Amino acid sequence: MSGDQAEPRTPADLPAARRWLLPSALADELDPGARRSGRPRRTARDWIVDFSCFVLAVVTGLLAAESMAEDPNLPEPVAAVDQVIGALSCGAVWLRRRWPLGLAIAMVPVGLVSNTAGGAGLISLFTLAVHRPFRYVAWTGGVSLAVLPVFFRLRPDPELSYPAVLVFTGLLIVSAIGWGMFVRSKRQLMLSLRDRARRAETEARLRAEQAQRLAREAIAREMHDVLAHRLTLLSVHAGALEFRPDAPREEVARAAGVLRESAHDALQDLRQIIGVLRAADADDAGGRPQPTLAALDALVAESREAGMKVTLANRVTDAGAVPAVVGRTAYRIAQEGLTNARKHAPGSEVAVTVTGGPGDGLVVSVRNPAPEGEVPHVPGSGQGLIGLTVRATLAGGTLRHGPTPDGGFRVRAWLPWD
């Protein structure tokens, strides 16, 4: 009967090859399409458990039959009828999953007339405790205990005294019921843990989607400000050419050059916001100047003043030519990396590396070793890294983050630089 205990597994995505290890109730929860005719599909594990219960009932019945054979006061026809009823009861064990309550109730009167059906009766009570609420178990188990004195008055045990056999059999019944209730509680706990894990996964996915949406809105607002500047510049110079067609050739050429450069920059910025469906207010609203790669030294200096150990390796070819969008994204990535290192690895030396050039792209890396000593728990949901991943993706690049072999953490991003 130990096979009825459920394994302590809770993930809803348990591989199908391992589902035979689960009880049918849990297996059908993981695979609702496996139900047939309104009843749970019996797994290979269920067949093994049912066969073990059948063998246990048969062995118990054989032991009881052997004990009856040694009783000289028991008529032979009564013993034969007892064994026939016991054999039918053992066969009925295969119905315990389909009709647990009916089998347990039927075994109460059967137990009054058959000694060899005792094992099947215990298994029926165990099954009832596993598959049905406590009120059914209480009534059926109470009746089973109440008829024990009548049974042993009619069929006294040849080896044990009347009080001893009552106590021993009562303990067996209570143990079977208690074991079944324990298995039922364990299964319900597993199902609740599985549901909790599923809800946690759903909530995490919703938080990630919300973080991505907020990041897209922030980027869209930032790009909107940039595009407004570019398009306004285009409008001013185009209006000047329209209202001054007699302007000197040099001035017309200069205005045309400004128009060309502004249009090119506006097209580059527009590519960053394709797919962004909404624009919302962000923290960087109000027309304040946005940081670029040139502000990275000031960011590192500010972190050092706050007590952090930071090393900066800026090996960018022609740093002044870094596009504004790329430089701003690189700055945000370094800023978030330093913030995370300050929270989760205080006292560790953080290495910030920026490399690359035109045509090769810009690589930003923020790395810190494992913190020294125990670090207090800092609440956080990882939305900053999610936002950085979205920002890098919309900029046409990639971002990877995760632990390093030495126990530290690394954030590495590649951004395109045409």
Side-chain angles (χ1 to χ4, degrees), residues 295-372:
L296 190 58
D297 291 332
L299 175 65
V300 172
E302 180 182 4
S303 300
R304 288 170 179 170
E305 291 177 0
M308 291 187 65
K309 302 176 183 178
V310 185
T311 60
L312 174 62
N314 193 342
R315 296 190 290 270
V316 179
T317 303
D318 194 6
V322 177
V325 175
V326 176
R328 182 164 54 251
T329 304
Y331 177 91
R332 295 302 187 193
I333 293 172
Q335 185 182 47
E336 181 66 18
L338 290 173
T339 301
N340 289 340
R342 183 164 57 248
K343 290 193 301 183
H344 302 290
S348 301
E349 183 174 357
V350 186
V352 180
T353 305
V354 184
T355 60
D360 296 329
L362 193 68
V363 178
V364 183
S365 174
V366 182
R367 179 172 181 173
N368 64 268
E372 299 178 1

Side-chain angles (χ1 to χ4, degrees), residues 4 128-134 137 179-190:
D4 272 276
L128 181 65
V130 171
H131 295 284
R132 291 296 180 268
F134 177 72
V137 182
W179 188 6
M181 293 177 62
F182 169 76
V183 173
R184 177 179 174 84
S185 300
K186 189 175 180 181
R187 288 185 179 180
Q188 290 178 339
L189 177 61
M190 290 178 60

Side-chain angles (χ1 to χ4, degrees), residues 5-11 14 21-23 26 186 189-190 193:
Q5 299 185 25
E7 291 190 359
R9 298 290 299 236
T10 60
L14 192 67
L21 296 173
L22 296 175
L26 294 180
K186 189 175 180 181
L189 177 61
M190 290 178 60
L193 291 176

Side-chain angles (χ1 to χ4, degrees), residues 202-342:
T202 302
E203 292 174 359
R205 184 175 64 254
L206 292 176
R207 286 196 300 268
E209 292 175 356
Q210 183 181 15
Q212 292 175 354
R213 177 180 60 81
L214 294 176
R216 289 189 181 100
E217 291 176 352
I219 296 173
R221 178 64 178 179
E222 191 173 317
M223 293 299 100
H224 172 268
D225 295 340
V226 175
L227 284 176
H229 172 75
R230 306 287 189 195
L231 295 178
T232 301
L233 192 62
L234 282 171
S235 177
V236 170
H237 285 82
L241 290 179
E242 179 182 4
F243 289 104
R244 292 195 58 189
D246 57 343
R249 183 181 182 87
E250 292 79 6
E251 185 175 345
V252 172
R254 183 171 61 255
V258 173
L259 287 174
R260 180 184 58 80
E261 293 178 1
S262 298
H264 176 75
D265 293 339
L267 182 61
Q268 291 295 106
D269 292 335
L270 183 60
R271 289 172 180 171
Q272 312 300 321
I273 61 174
I274 292 178
V276 180
L277 303 179
R278 296 182 60 189
D281 292 334
D283 294 336
D284 291 330
R288 294 189 298 270
Q290 300 298 312
T292 60
L293 191 62
L296 190 58
D297 291 332
L299 175 65
V300 172
E302 180 182 4
S303 300
R304 288 170 179 170
E305 291 177 0
M308 291 187 65
K309 302 176 183 178
V310 185
T311 60
L312 174 62
N314 193 342
R315 296 190 290 270
V316 179
T317 303
D318 194 6
V322 177
V325 175
V326 176
R328 182 164 54 251
T329 304
Y331 177 91
R332 295 302 187 193
I333 293 172
Q335 185 182 47
E336 181 66 18
L338 290 173
T339 301
N340 289 340
R342 183 164 57 248

